[in-house]
């Protein structure tokens, strides 16, 4: 389970996150929704140990990232698909990452298959990858340790419709196998086809958390835009 417990992050007088609390249960997918600058990436960075919270705790199965032994085996994360050495091949990138976390080298081929990167593509240098291929590579790296929690920032970015469907099916299968999946987006319609529940954030505050009823997706979308628009006006 992923848990945010009264997490606040301040930069001077600015609250990037303001008393954020929510959970991502084991075996489920939560869509983390909000406009650009709402606080989604900051929250994920705190969860993955890249940034310290001013107050509160973000944990994976009750432990903060820094306290987990070999954390990549517990939680996989993708925050920036561009943060990859451009001169290495995809296979080399995954091979180095696998060695660093003590994963079996055979896991590289397994995760490449999971995300739909071919052997030929994996032998190309990353500088020649499209954005969608880099996204697939980043998701593959997040899966190397077979984690039971997965944190993805805009995972569909750069993917074509076929790629989006393939990643959607993969994430659903991982959740059904017991993984807690947190994925951020600003596209509610896309998330509504995948997530079990959504958490809507605006200006660093949680505006709503609700289970998704696919038959009421349009109503949820209307509320999403109303909530975020209202929050923008109130902060102006």
């Amino acid at each position: 389970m992923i848990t945010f417990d009264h997490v606040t992050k301040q930069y001077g007088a600015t609250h990037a996150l303001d008393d954020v609390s929510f959970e991502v249960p084991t075996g489920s997918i939560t869509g983390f929704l909000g406009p650009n600058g709402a606080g989604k990436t900051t929250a994920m960075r705190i969860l993955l140990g890249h940034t310290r919270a001013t107050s509160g705790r973000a944990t994976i199965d009750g432990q903060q990232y820094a306290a987990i032994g070999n954390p990549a085996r517990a939680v996989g994360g993708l925050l920036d698909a561009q943060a990859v050495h451009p001169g290495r091949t995809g296979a080399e990138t995954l091979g180095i990452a696998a060695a660093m976390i003590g994963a079996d080298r055979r896991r590289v081929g397994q995760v490449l298959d999971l995300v739909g990167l071919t052997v030929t593509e994996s032998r190309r240098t990353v500088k020649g990858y499209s954005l969608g291929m880099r996204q697939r590579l980043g998701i593959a790296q997040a899966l190397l340790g077979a984690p039971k929690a997965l944190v993805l920032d805009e995972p569909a970015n750069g993917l074509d419709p076929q790629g989006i469907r393939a990643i959607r099916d993969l994430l659903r299968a991982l959740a059904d196998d017991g993984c807690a999946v947190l994925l951020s987006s600003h596209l509610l319609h896309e998330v509504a086809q995948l997530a079990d529940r959504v958490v809507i954030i605006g200006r660093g505050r949680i505006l709503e958390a609700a289970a998704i009823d696919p038959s009421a997706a349009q109503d949820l979308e209307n509320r999403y835009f109303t909530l975020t628009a209202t929050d923008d006006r109130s902060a102006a």
Side-chain angles (χ1 to χ4, degrees), residues 70-156:
N70 200 354
R73 305 298 289 267
V75 55
L78 172 61
L79 298 185
D80 183 4
Q82 302 297 327
V84 183
H85 194 298
R88 294 191 180 118
T89 67
E92 287 170 342
T93 298
L94 295 178
I96 291 168
M100 289 178 65
I101 66 173
D104 191 312
R105 187 65 176 77
R106 290 173 294 182
R107 182 67 177 160
V108 170
Q110 293 170 358
V111 296
L112 285 169
D113 287 341
L114 284 173
V115 302
L117 281 174
T118 67
V119 172
T120 299
E121 289 169 336
S122 75
R123 291 173 178 167
R124 290 168 52 188
T125 56
V126 174
K127 65 183 177 184
Y129 278 19
S130 66
L131 176 56
M133 291 172 68
R134 289 186 185 224
Q135 287 291 109
R136 290 174 185 264
L137 182 65
I139 295 171
Q141 185 167 334
L143 294 174
L144 276 173
K148 285 302 182 182
L150 197 57
V151 181
L152 306 174
D153 196 2
E154 302 279 0

Side-chain angles (χ1 to χ4, degrees), residues 136 156 158-168 190:
R136 290 174 185 264
L159 295 178
D160 60 22
Q162 182 179 358
I164 291 172
R165 175 171 293 185
I167 295 302
R168 184 191 303 158
E190 178 60 38

Side-chain angles (χ1 to χ4, degrees), residues 172-185:
R172 183 73 265 168
L174 290 169
D176 290 346
D177 196 39
C179 192
V181 180
L182 175 65
L183 60 92
S184 79
S185 180

Side-chain angles (χ1 to χ4, degrees), residues 5-27:
D5 185 14
H6 298 287
V7 176
T8 292
K9 178 63 178 178
Q10 289 180 253
Y11 295 99
T14 301
H15 281 76
L17 296 175
D18 188 359
D19 197 29
V20 166
S21 294
F22 67 92
E23 293 181 344
V24 181
T26 298

